[in-house]
Structures are given as structure tokens and as C-alpha cells.
Amino acid sequence: MAKKLVFVSGKGGVGKTTVVANLGMHLARLGQNVVLLDADIGLNNLDVIMGVESKVVYDILDVLEGRCRLKQALIKSDSCDNLSILASAHFGAGHITAAEMRLIVANLDVLFDYVLIDCPAGIDNGFHRAVSGASEAYVVVNPSISSIRDADKVLSILNTYKLNKMGVIVNRVRADLIMLNESMSVDDITRLLKIIPTGVIPEDDDLNLCSCVGKTAESKETKRAFEILAENILTGSTKMYDCLEKYKSFFKRIKLRKRMV
């Protein structure tokens, strides 16, 4: 039986879809058979981020309305043989129900080890439709007050579902700003949300560019952060990527110089 993970956010723009894409690729590289399900009906872009938009012939609505079989709609990733994508529908899919979404996930369940569901941002019908088919849920959050508040609300709603596990992934962490006390730290977020993050991903200007061509992040730091996240998801470990590590010695030297002046 596959693990069915839904990735949610209280607001758009936190990098949720990019997290789903890169996590999927790293799980596949660890030998897992993975499918990425785009449940963001109408505003979908997972196929674009994975660089397979030109390969989409059938989507989730085609499967539900019987125009193709499920396996016909699955698109293989160019980067990993054991990573597939099921595209969402651009038009006419507003009437897809939670029961139909659960049916799609149940059919994917027998084909894959992991089903990663990219949920639309917010907490409207699309949120409940996507979450209804999941066994685990992960809230993607940025280190900002508004994002933390939204994440807290989403976690409260997720508590009403019968999920095996809930987690938080802190994305776009700026270590330099944390060291300068201009941004919340991971410890601050942990204290506010009362949950230990499953993963911490640093800010990386090249990350979106890599995702658009179906590749994993190239920078050493971001690659390691996703490796740790994938290992935590796969094994249940609680390792934490330390975004501050490479800055600590630098800022120590700066402070020492200021004291000597």
C-alpha cells in the first residue's frame, strides 16, 4: 500500500509545488516508485515545473470521464524512470468531487510506493477535495508572520481529518537574515506552531529554474536539504538541515572584528 502524502499551504507563493516536485525526485532517486498528482484544479502548474507540459495528452478529468485509462494519463519524468506525473485539468473540472479524488488516489495506491498530492493553496473546496484522499499531510510554510498564521489555521483544520501523520516543511529560509535577527528562525517557527518541522529548505534563487526543466536543485545546500527531507519522509527519522551552519563562522568573525575596533 502506498503512502499518500498531501502538501498544503494557507496561502499561495510559499513554494509548495516546487517542494513537491523536488521531494518526488529525491524519493525516486532513493529507489521509490513515485507519482506526483496535481490536485490544483484550474490553477495547475506541476506539469510545467516538472518540464513535461508538452507531453500532457490526458489529465485527471479524462480519466474520471472515461476518455482514457489511468495508466495512459501518467507521464514519465525525463529525469527518473520511477517518477510519474498525473496532470490536472485546466478547464471543466470544477465538478470533480472529493469521492472522485479518493477514487483516483486509490487506483494510484496499487501502482506506486508514494503518491504526492499537490493541493491548491487556501482552505476552500479544493483543499478538502485533495486532503480527503491522503493518509499524511504536510504544511509548507515560509518564515513570515502571515505564513505562520495561515499555517496554524491549516493545522487546526487538518486535525479534524483522520490522518496518520501531520508535519511542517519550512521553505525559503534565509540564514543570513536569521543571523542578523531580521527573520524568524526555525526554532521560532517550531515554538509558534508547536510542531517539529519534517524538513527545512533554504532560499535558493536557482531552485525554480531547475524545477522548470525537471531537474533537482543543483546547489549543494538545497540538494542536501531535500535529501534529508526525503530520508525523513521515507524512514521516519527526524534529522534537521542546519541552514545556519555555513554562516556561523562568518558572523562570528564579523562580531569579533567589531569588538576589536
Side-chain angles (χ1 to χ4, degrees), residues 172 174 202-211 217-219 222:
R172 294 179 175 169
R174 286 281 304 273
E203 178 71 271
D204 185 347
D205 292 336
D206 294 329
L207 182 56
N208 288 330
L209 179 60
C210 291
S211 297
E218 296 295 333
S219 75
T222 304

Side-chain angles (χ1 to χ4, degrees), residues 251-261:
F251 277 93
K252 282 182 180 178
R253 289 197 299 271
I254 295 297
K255 289 180 179 179
L256 181 61
R257 287 176 184 175
K258 287 183 177 179
R259 288 176 184 173
M260 294 175 63
V261 173

Side-chain angles (χ1 to χ4, degrees), residues 6-7 40 43 64 73 76 78 81 84 105 108 124 136 139 179 187 203 211 219 247 260:
V6 66
F7 295 82
D40 195 351
L43 295 175
L64 288 170
K76 286 284 187 181
D78 292 331
D81 290 337
S84 300
V105 173
L108 292 171
D124 58 9
E136 300 180 16
V139 183
M179 296 299 291
D187 288 340
E203 178 71 271
S211 297
S219 75
Y247 287 91
M260 294 175 63

Side-chain angles (χ1 to χ4, degrees), residues 89-126:
H90 290 280
F91 305 103
H95 62 282
I96 292 178
T97 66
E100 289 173 323
M101 185 64 71
R102 289 194 296 272
L103 177 63
I104 290 289
V105 173
N107 281 282
L108 292 171
D109 190 358
V110 301
L111 299 174
F112 296 92
D113 300 316
Y114 279 86
V115 180
L116 306 189
I117 306 167
D118 186 20
C119 178
I123 52 175
D124 58 9
N125 290 338

Side-chain angles (χ1 to χ4, degrees), residues 48-119:
V48 176
I49 285 181
M50 289 299 298
V52 298
E53 70 276 13
S54 62
K55 296 183 178 181
V56 176
V57 177
Y58 298 112
D59 57 39
I60 188 173
L61 188 60
D62 293 314
V63 176
L64 288 170
E65 295 186 347
R67 287 187 287 273
C68 71
R69 298 187 305 275
L70 177 59
K71 288 185 178 180
Q72 289 179 291
L74 295 173
I75 305 165
K76 286 284 187 181
S77 167
D78 292 331
S79 60
C80 301
D81 290 337
N82 52 333
L83 177 62
S84 300
I85 300 96
L86 178 56
S88 186
H90 290 280
F91 305 103
H95 62 282
I96 292 178
T97 66
E100 289 173 323
M101 185 64 71
R102 289 194 296 272
L103 177 63
I104 290 289
V105 173
N107 281 282
L108 292 171
D109 190 358
V110 301
L111 299 174
F112 296 92
D113 300 316
Y114 279 86
V115 180
L116 306 189
I117 306 167
D118 186 20
C119 178

Side-chain angles (χ1 to χ4, degrees), residues 143-163:
S144 69
I145 293 297
S146 61
S147 182
I148 298 300
R149 287 176 177 171
D150 289 339
D152 189 46
K153 294 175 185 176
V154 171
L155 286 168
S156 296
I157 296 171
L158 289 174
N159 273 318
T160 66
Y161 281 85
K162 294 180 179 179
L163 296 163

